[in-house]
Each structure stands twice: as C-alpha cells, then as structure tokens.
Amino acid sequence: LLKMKDVATRFADGDFRSRVPLFDTEEFSTLAETLNRMAVQLDNQVRTVEQQASEQQAILASMREGVVAVDTEDRILILNPAAAELIGIRAESAKGRTIQEAVRNPDLQRFFVRTKAGSAQSMEEMVFRSAEDRLVQVIGSALLDAEGRIIGVLVVLNDITTTRKLENLRKDFVANVSHELRTPITSIKGFVETLRE
C-alpha cells in the first residue's frame, strides 16, 4: 500500500513514467495494473493537450492579424503578439487582467462592451494612436459554448493602414491620369473640328 501510495503521489505530481510493481495477491495486482494503465492514459492525454496548446500558440504567434479573447468578466484569455503590438501592451502582463486595465484605448474598450451585449458579429474601423497612427479594422463576435451560451468575446484586429494608403494613391493616380488626358483630348477635338471645317 505504501508503494502504491508513493507511485500515486508521483502521478499526482505529473510523473507518469513511474509504475506500480505487480504483487502476488490478486487484489493488489489488479489495482496495480489499473493504476499503471491509468498512468499511460493520463500521460497520453496530457501530451495531447500540451501538443494542442503548443500548436495553438504557434498559430496565434504566426498570425499577422491581432487576436484578443476575453471571458464574460472581460478578463483577457488570449492575446497574440500581433494584437499586443497593435494595442501597445505586453502580452505576458496583460493576460488575466481586464480589458479596461490592460487597454488604454476607450474606443476599443467600448467595442468589447458592445460586442458582448450584441449577438451578431460587429465590425468597425478605428485609429490607434501611437508614434505612427494606424488605421485598424476591428471585427468582433461573441464566444459561445456548446450550448450556445456566451462565454466571452473574440476580437480580430487587422492593420489596414498600408492598404488604405495604397487605395488613396490609386484614387489620386486615376484622378491625375484622367485630368492629364482631358487636356490633350480637348485639344485634339478642337483640331479635328478645325480640320473638318
């Protein structure tokens, strides 16, 4: 029993490599086999959970879009590096804090509140003030559990500053080209009319 208790304590501490020795009596032997099987299953489940968490972290870290997830009490659950950079906070210090404590952007705070209150997906464009102002497209939706209850809010932040600048450049280019073409075309029309006469 003391050997079993010792190995069970190691299991509780996360050491699933330990094994309970098999004993001569049938009852102790059956219990030892059950504990050993349980250790293998727990080890597999823990490895699977750790692998999934690692994959999730890798995916979130490699995303260009910022991702922020908060629970129903507005505590930050997930904050990827892109979101931390856009918002201007450190991801490690923000987790577990409320969105009001961690984020100093009142527009973004209000967006979280509105998204949590509504059931439909919401979208808005905001200017994030920093050394260089950034135009950010903010898309939010409620996080739902399997029963459809709201368990938090998920917000995706997409920096569209460069895209908007390129759109403006394209509009300016088209306007300039059309203006520059109008003048010679008007002259050509005048020459054509003169030649016709």
Side-chain angles (χ1 to χ4, degrees):
L1 284 173
L2 287 173
K3 286 180 183 178
M4 286 181 163
K5 179 187 167 211
D6 181 47
V7 173
T9 303
R10 287 191 209 145
F11 290 168
D13 292 337
D15 176 15
F16 300 113
R17 292 179 311 235
S18 300
R19 294 290 177 262
V20 179
L22 299 178
F23 300 98
D24 295 335
T25 60
E26 184 182 340
E27 292 82 2
F28 282 133
S29 182
T30 304
L31 183 57
E33 287 175 1
T34 304
L35 284 172
N36 290 337
R37 247 191 351 265
M38 182 182 69
V40 170
Q41 290 173 349
L42 284 173
D43 189 34
N44 290 337
Q45 289 176 350
V46 167
R47 285 177 196 264
T48 302
V49 168
E50 286 174 349
Q51 182 180 356
Q52 288 173 345
S54 175
E55 289 170 356
Q56 180 188 40
Q57 284 300 106
I59 291 168
L60 288 171
S62 64
M63 289 180 67
R64 283 183 43 229
E65 294 82 10
V67 178
V68 183
V70 298
D71 62 12
T72 53
E73 296 169 0
D74 293 335
R75 297 207 176 277
I76 297 173
L77 302 171
I78 296 172
L79 179 76
N80 74 341
E85 182 187 339
L86 277 171
I87 297 170
I89 58 176
R90 289 182 46 234
E92 304 82 34
S93 62
K95 285 186 183 171
R97 295 171 62 197
T98 65
I99 201 74
Q100 291 78 15
E101 293 172 339
V103 176
R104 296 291 173 221
N105 186 325
D107 292 336
L108 188 58
Q109 292 175 358
R110 285 190 288 272
F111 183 82
F112 271 94
V113 171
R114 281 194 310 273
T115 303
K116 187 168 73 171
S119 57
Q121 186 181 56
S122 53
M123 185 170 74
E124 196 174 311
E125 289 183 5
M126 298 179 192
V127 176
F128 283 21
R129 307 264 180 227
S130 60
E132 180 184 321
D133 288 351
R134 297 186 205 182
L135 184 62
V136 178
Q137 182 184 50
V138 184
I139 303 168
S141 63
L143 283 174
L144 305 174
D145 65 5
E147 285 83 39
R149 293 183 304 238
I150 294 177
I151 58 170
V153 172
L154 177 70
V155 171
V156 177
L157 308 168
N158 191 10
D159 186 354
I160 58 172
T161 308
T162 306
T163 307
R164 194 54 54 88
K165 283 180 183 176
L166 291 173
E167 285 175 6
N168 291 337
L169 282 173
R170 182 185 57 81
K171 286 178 188 173
D172 291 345
F173 176 75
V174 169
N176 287 338
V177 166
S178 65
H179 176 72
E180 293 296 326
L181 286 176
R182 263 191 222 123
T183 306
I185 287 174
T186 306
S187 299
I188 291 170
K189 277 173 115 180
F191 291 137
V192 167
E193 287 173 9
T194 304
L195 287 171
R196 285 170 89 184
E197 288 174 6

